[in-house]
Amino acid sequence: MAKMIGPALPNLPWQDRPAGAKGPVWRYSANPIIGRDGNRQSNSVFNSAVVPHEGGFAGIFRCDNRAIHMDLYAGRSADGFHWDIEDEPLVFTGADAEVLRKEYRYDPRICRLDGHYYVSWCNGYHGPTIGLGFTDDFKTFTQLENAFLPFNRNGVLFPRKIGGRYLMMSRPSDNGHTPFGDIFVSESPDLVHWGRHRYMMGAIKSGESAWQATKIGPGPIPIETDEGWLMIYHGVITTCNGFVYRMGCALLDIDEPWKVLYRTKDYILAPYELYECVGDVPNVVFPCATLNDPATGRIAIYYGCADTVTGIAFTTVDELIQYTKETAL
Amino acid sequence: MAKMIGPALPNLPWQDRPAGAKGPVWRYSANPIIGRDGNRQSNSVFNSAVVPHEGGFAGIFRCDNRAIHMDLYAGRSADGFHWDIEDEPLVFTGADAEVLRKEYRYDPRICRLDGHYYVSWCNGYHGPTIGLGFTDDFKTFTQLENAFLPFNRNGVLFPRKIGGRYLMMSRPSDNGHTPFGDIFVSESPDLVHWGRHRYMMGAIKSGESAWQATKIGPGPIPIETDEGWLMIYHGVITTCNGFVYRMGCALLDIDEPWKVLYRTKDYILAPYELYECVGDVPNVVFPCATLNDPATGRIAIYYGCADTVTGIAFTTVDELIQYTKETAL
Amino acid sequence: MAKMIGPALPNLPWQDRPAGAKGPVWRYSANPIIGRDGNRQSNSVFNSAVVPHEGGFAGIFRCDNRAIHMDLYAGRSADGFHWDIEDEPLVFTGADAEVLRKEYRYDPRICRLDGHYYVSWCNGYHGPTIGLGFTDDFKTFTQLENAFLPFNRNGVLFPRKIGGRYLMMSRPSDNGHTPFGDIFVSESPDLVHWGRHRYMMGAIKSGESAWQATKIGPGPIPIETDEGWLMIYHGVITTCNGFVYRMGCALLDIDEPWKVLYRTKDYILAPYELYECVGDVPNVVFPCATLNDPATGRIAIYYGCADTVTGIAFTTVDELIQYTKETAL
Amino acid sequence: MAKMIGPALPNLPWQDRPAGAKGPVWRYSANPIIGRDGNRQSNSVFNSAVVPHEGGFAGIFRCDNRAIHMDLYAGRSADGFHWDIEDEPLVFTGADAEVLRKEYRYDPRICRLDGHYYVSWCNGYHGPTIGLGFTDDFKTFTQLENAFLPFNRNGVLFPRKIGGRYLMMSRPSDNGHTPFGDIFVSESPDLVHWGRHRYMMGAIKSGESAWQATKIGPGPIPIETDEGWLMIYHGVITTCNGFVYRMGCALLDIDEPWKVLYRTKDYILAPYELYECVGDVPNVVFPCATLNDPATGRIAIYYGCADTVTGIAFTTVDELIQYTKETAL
Amino acid sequence: MAKMIGPALPNLPWQDRPAGAKGPVWRYSANPIIGRDGNRQSNSVFNSAVVPHEGGFAGIFRCDNRAIHMDLYAGRSADGFHWDIEDEPLVFTGADAEVLRKEYRYDPRICRLDGHYYVSWCNGYHGPTIGLGFTDDFKTFTQLENAFLPFNRNGVLFPRKIGGRYLMMSRPSDNGHTPFGDIFVSESPDLVHWGRHRYMMGAIKSGESAWQATKIGPGPIPIETDEGWLMIYHGVITTCNGFVYRMGCALLDIDEPWKVLYRTKDYILAPYELYECVGDVPNVVFPCATLNDPATGRIAIYYGCADTVTGIAFTTVDELIQYTKETAL
Amino acid sequence: MAKMIGPALPNLPWQDRPAGAKGPVWRYSANPIIGRDGNRQSNSVFNSAVVPHEGGFAGIFRCDNRAIHMDLYAGRSADGFHWDIEDEPLVFTGADAEVLRKEYRYDPRICRLDGHYYVSWCNGYHGPTIGLGFTDDFKTFTQLENAFLPFNRNGVLFPRKIGGRYLMMSRPSDNGHTPFGDIFVSESPDLVHWGRHRYMMGAIKSGESAWQATKIGPGPIPIETDEGWLMIYHGVITTCNGFVYRMGCALLDIDEPWKVLYRTKDYILAPYELYECVGDVPNVVFPCATLNDPATGRIAIYYGCADTVTGIAFTTVDELIQYTKETAL
């Protein structure tokens, strides 16, 4: 039996596996939990991050408004299913006006680390790169330096230092709808300067696992287990009608996480339901956060659907690790 | 209170705003009003134009047949909701065989002007350009010269002369699925020769209003109000899975309409409903006509859905102008 | 009255034309007959072939698994509607290990010929080309040489020798989402060496029949009739949001089938239903097999829907030939 | 013997055909006549126009400066071989500040018409279009309205009214390195408003004359002869290493010049010499002007070489018309 | 000492290695041997094939005429350096009008085989494929069936049957400036039907040998030696300014020539000289034929230069095999 | 009079400005100084760096070998004109095998800093990024961490710490022939971790300075002067026949060098000479190093020509700063 490491989360949102469900992950029956109207100005709410906070839950949400401007908004929930999202975007303060100047912000992750909630996101600064900041209360937010040069997406921190250094996964990109993409890990002594960049894993060019043939990117904050870091990611294939985004899973070495122990050949979730197949960008499931209860092994995955709405899916650490090993590439 | 200028239209098709509707525009509850089977040979009926005529309504419809050949067909309706569309395409007569030679015709507009009904459309003549003609009875049609050289789309006349000249908006294009496009205004003394081309407004390259970042094009005949010309247009963004077409609105100077007074940063309608998101071209709303009742301020917008079927949406001049000002870029 | 040539098939799956149906082909009311879960590992089941076998029916199915690996699986059915598909892919034996080495296999056809069931498919061999093999019992399968060099798709045999030679239709391609494609016929004395390649018909570059403007490819095994070979094919148009696949029909000369007697200007079936418009590749109907009953003239068409599920549609030889002649280009 | 119509030009620059020269056109032995250093700031001088003026010659030159900004400069010459080009670009005056606002200007032509020297060029106005102006003394210049909407290049006037209207050839384009292009003729009553656009001739898509397979465009002002308008144009092919520009010739109907009487299948001049094959854009010959002496039938062609320098080539009206007829498509 | 197998050719054109020459191949000092004016209508003469014939030499030449139409012309030479090329293209006769219909023909090879001179070339038949024919006297030519379906280039026969079958190398392509390409071998019992297609070798995707990273294709008829088939080929890299074509060499198994024994990591000749770097397509050396003298080991390579003119280079069987082994990948 | 800061270099290679030379920079009359045969295996030698060393000069050279593999080689020279380049590539040692693993290396720069010679280059590590190392004697070399994630090119160090930090300019890129590119500055406390990335300057999208419209990148190590950092860079335009690389110059704030004081609108050197216009990549001048003599103000620029050979050009600090100010954007 695999074990997650960390505090119990007894109020984790949960629904048991329905009869007849196949695969290691199953959807919440009342999906989507957040529709287009997540806040007053939203066109769509998706690719968002949540954490336990003050007995309930807090989150940072990507709400594209009706100008299709991409920005981040704070939200709160008592049960993890029903969310109250603010109507005004996050305001960061910090040292340097150059960095604070805002172009666009999307696809946030939240990482509990060193007693703060660190937020990373795709930040517009002469092209997409990785923005970084932190909060303690989801009311005031401090922005740090951008982690990298453009062009980059999907900056995902590890939830503790490893070897005395902070670690961040990311996916170097171009400045468009990037048709390629591998995952790297970078280190930092201070969350400002980054180096020692390591290749972790890439798209699968062979036909062996075609759903991840075009590009891959890290998803939620990796989950520490006694078997390694459990890491959910997205994979993309190019069809004659565009990209399809699906979810996969990997198990990483606990001390040198750029070493991939196992990685799923099969996807763990794919667009099947109408709210995943139809929307502003059809055929997308895109995970950005999990809630984990080490006491029971339960995991709730928050994921964007068709770049339009937000859903939850469920699994357990046992099922996911077993599946990752069984279907490993 | 803004006022539309023109004759009352008491039998304008109408449905009150439903409780809970957001935004300045709301859909007809029984949409689509015209399905794929609009006439005997149609694969799809969309991007079409209507006007009041002889106590009821007349229209010019884009019906793609089952060879996916694009052509224009006349139709009539007593109430504006239920339409009887002819099975044979429009036949134009006119002076010059070279211009009458037909390649393809699509996306019509109708403009009441100088006592005639002028029809403009995208006309195949060694590439797409703007065809122009007129009718008095929707039975016989006279074709004029093409207004411009290829490549152009979305020729939309103003409903009266301005400064003694006819004015037409259009969008210069290329000969494919054009990935760019701004709106210009051109003038003519005689509806044959066109000049004094003026740049009106363009796609928004910044992220400030990304739904209109790829291209924009004029929609229905502009509506004269005491605050300027009210002009509904379409805007396009390029996602990794193709184009999404949405609707916006602008208010133009009454005497120099190439001067844009206000322009919505937010869209006013976007593909949300299944009949807008699923069809031959997913994720398209495309407005080509309005019916207006200055007595009540009511406006009915006719729009194509997913390049497949036709819907109606409603608004009022007050709501639309207020929204245009409030969300102006 | 046109007549199909061949043995009667009294248990052909069938449903009468519903009232109000338009066009020469109508859908089975309980479509799709095979969903995503066609076998234990399938993500999708589509573009598959069936034949009468031992009083019931046998088939070769394209099942993409959850790694989106494309492979072929045998299946059986008593009634042609309900199918039992194996969980392990076909295993071919044969003389040459070089050819047996498997990369990927998709879009099969089955042709009863010389007392065997010949299977042809798109076979990965340094790029897509036409794989060829045969079975007598759908349990053991013998693979022959690839028919052509890469790059090719849609190899479709004729069900008897013509002029003492075997004939195969195919569509030369490139190694991606080919944006062009015409149909050729090739001859062979031995099903190993192929030559005397003849152009049959191509995409329609004019706007006259735009649904088949990008590329076309042969579908089911051609049906022998007293008026010529009846051949159902797919045609593709490029919209701003990708490809749309529809079905057309042609009548070929009985002795020199590269001579096209008639070919539909209008499609005979197009994506209208939600299971055809929504899926891993939206807006696809793709026919790969028919069952035919010469005694009644009935034809059941098996076709892939949205590259995700499998449907049946019905027609008769009379309706189809009449429609092909009436709407001929 | 064909005859040019117009005044004699006894001081036309000239060099007899050298022994051994093939083809209807031969180069000046001291080419290029203008090098990179045509004026003080020039990077390159090419694609330029000249006319007889005050007993000598005047010209408008495209000089790209060392910022590679494209602009027009006046120049003078006593003999047509040696040119003195100004260091400051043309300054136009005129009624409308919007049009006078200068983005870039290139590839001029000069047309003696109605007692003025009309200058047309490719003018930047939200994309390339046709700028138009005139001068009487090559010192002061008056700018008129742009003739067309973007996107257009190579506006070439006819040197007299035809049917009471001004005529201009042009080539509709896109806003990049346009990979297509046909020639049209447009009419105007006033040189401001343009209409009655007619297709004249296009690229040759068959392999019959592949040097002009990608696009064509009009070159110098057409030459009036007793057999029709003699018109030199450029044609472009796309190789794996880019475009190659060559010269062809056509004979047009004298009253309806959109009717092409003859057009060369073979080019009349192509990049052979080092100064035509090597430069900022290799493999370009691009004609923009001729000087003509009807008394002797002599023609001097001014053409840009490799988008870098300027050359002269020679022919006679007899040789050129004979060749155009003999090698007609 | 490696030995070529075959009859001596004492009058092979030859020039000794000049002092200071590097690499295994050296150029003829008077290159190019054929200029643009190879025959009366030629724009360029390149990528051509020669054989010993009647005590002197005969050849088939690719001459693009001044319409840039690509066709084949016969030529004769007493010494292999000075060539007399006919002004009219080859005329083939044969059984089937469909195949004889000519679109375009280029890049010929000639193979002495079974007492005939077989000619293969890139033949336009609804796209490029491999044309095949033969002659005994270079006066009358018989055309056979095209060897393959489109799209293919560089069909090169082996000069004797192997295992009782004819063998041909070729490179499957697309219908444009193909950006990929590997070499295959196919077999035939009758030179009409082809099968048993085997992958021989491909482009080198790693940076180890980047000059052949985009595509490769077979060049002259392979040379039989006591160490295997010696085969010269071309390799292509894509720079930011287009393709560069260079020459490489391989040694193939004598009985199963799809097995590559050695293959040069380094090119053996590359565009260095002005006539190779400047022309209609800059930076191309493209070999299509060799003359071989087994008595001395001398080899003369005929190659196209910059798609414009024709050159000769020299080597010996010893130097080439030694270099191929020493620099093998 | 501007002054360079640093030690005198009396033996700097030099040639006085020839009579008639225009522009701020003039070529060495005996260019190229290094031809294709720079070392035993080289196909081409270009884009290389030099420094004063032990009374003479040392350099790191990009030699592409005859496999077109890109690598770095040390060289020495007594006079800066004549170079002796090693036949074996640089061997780095260092702590981490992952970073030492070599894919390809090109376009080096050398920076004297803190008493070492630091070498930076474009380093293949799952795509191009910036490699970094140092030497003291040009015999043994120590490699450090790659400075950035892929994709990046043209990493250029400043020759002293500023504000207590190391600074490096670079140009984020994609993984192909990048069609875009701006210059950024990054800071580091330790030459391993990099952050505080600042936008310095970008391509000029307007037509005002089109030679640098596609992308720009830093060239030699910036030169410290009493007016700021003098920085030579390359700029690229996209013609219809590919890229043209030219040189420009900027003056940067001495303490905050991301602030650009002046930047040339005009290029300072462009491909004019045959060895710059013809070669493996036509039309390239690419500067990678300067030698500077503060005592006289003389500067020698080393630059690659046509990606094939190496040249020197000369200027003085006064001329260059004056020109930069006079032609500033």
Side-chain angles (χ1 to χ4, degrees), chain B residues 11-54:
Chain B
N11 63 336
L12 169 136
W14 184 253
Q15 192 173 55
D16 283 334
R17 174 190 282 273
K22 289 187 177 179
V25 173
W26 58 96
R27 290 168 183 80
Y28 179 47
S29 61
N31 267 353
I33 59 161
I34 307 173
R36 283 183 177 273
D37 291 337
N39 69 4
R40 201 181 48 199
Q41 287 301 323
S42 62
N43 166 75
S44 44
V45 184
F46 59 106
N47 301 2
S48 300
V50 302
V51 285
H53 181 60
E54 295 183 349

Side-chain angles (χ1 to χ4, degrees), chain B residues 224-237:
Chain B
E224 189 166 6
T225 78
D226 58 356
E227 302 210 15
W229 295 100
L230 187 62
M231 183 264 224
I232 297 171
Y233 65 97
H234 65 261
V236 179
I237 191 175

Side-chain angles (χ1 to χ4, degrees), chain B residues 155-170:
Chain B
V156 178
L157 285 166
F158 279 76
R160 64 166 172 83
K161 288 189 177 180
I162 298 175
R165 299 289 175 123
Y166 298 100
L167 264 71
M168 186 189 282
M169 292 181 284
S170 72

